[in-house]
Amino acid sequence: MPIATEKKKRNLIALDETVVKANKKRYFVYSAVDVERNELILMKVYTTRNWLVTKSFVKEVLKYCENKPKFVIDKAPWLIEALKSLNLEFEHEGFREA
């Protein structure tokens, strides 16, 4: 998967975070992927997870966008609140077990 290095017009970005444990501590790994290009835009690790951290991450993602893309997210409240606070369009994508 290529990594974004420049601003581009982007239509749909998948935004997600996951928890990883290392040395008995929890870390939150955020990632943003341009769905159409299958391009990693940004990935960062944080020591906490809330809407302010998420908002900061999304603002960094937008630095690689020439426009205001739509985001695809799960129903995590911190993702929803961050995108709402930035007046960005989003849709929920449910994850199902196969």
Side-chain angles (χ1 to χ4, degrees), residues 1-96:
M1 179 180 297
I3 299 174
T5 57
E6 60 189 45
K7 263 188 165 184
K8 296 178 184 172
K9 183 174 183 340
R10 301 181 190 278
N11 297 312
L12 191 61
I13 295 175
L15 177 65
D16 199 13
E17 54 73 35
T18 190
V19 179
V20 294
K21 292 181 182 177
N23 299 323
K24 299 182 181 180
K25 293 183 182 179
R26 292 172 23 155
Y27 298 94
F28 303 92
V29 181
Y30 280 71
S31 62
V33 174
D34 183 320
V35 173
E36 294 170 323
R37 291 182 174 91
N38 195 33
E39 177 182 51
L40 178 64
I41 299 169
L42 186 64
M43 182 180 285
K44 289 189 84 169
V45 178
Y46 297 93
T47 56
T48 189
R49 172 186 64 193
N50 57 44
W51 77 272
L52 284 171
V53 168
T54 306
K55 182 177 179 178
S56 172
F57 179 78
V58 172
K59 287 170 92 173
E60 283 193 63
V61 169
L62 291 173
K63 292 177 184 178
Y64 295 94
C65 303
E66 293 176 348
N67 58 323
K68 287 177 115 179
K70 183 176 188 176
F71 288 82
V72 179
I73 61 170
D74 60 19
K75 292 188 177 187
W78 48 89
L79 297 175
I80 294 168
E81 290 306 314
L83 293 171
K84 281 183 178 179
S85 74
L86 293 167
N87 199 30
L88 294 168
E89 188 180 356
F90 63 91
E91 67 182 44
H92 297 114
E93 178 67 36
F95 298 100
R96 298 181 264 325

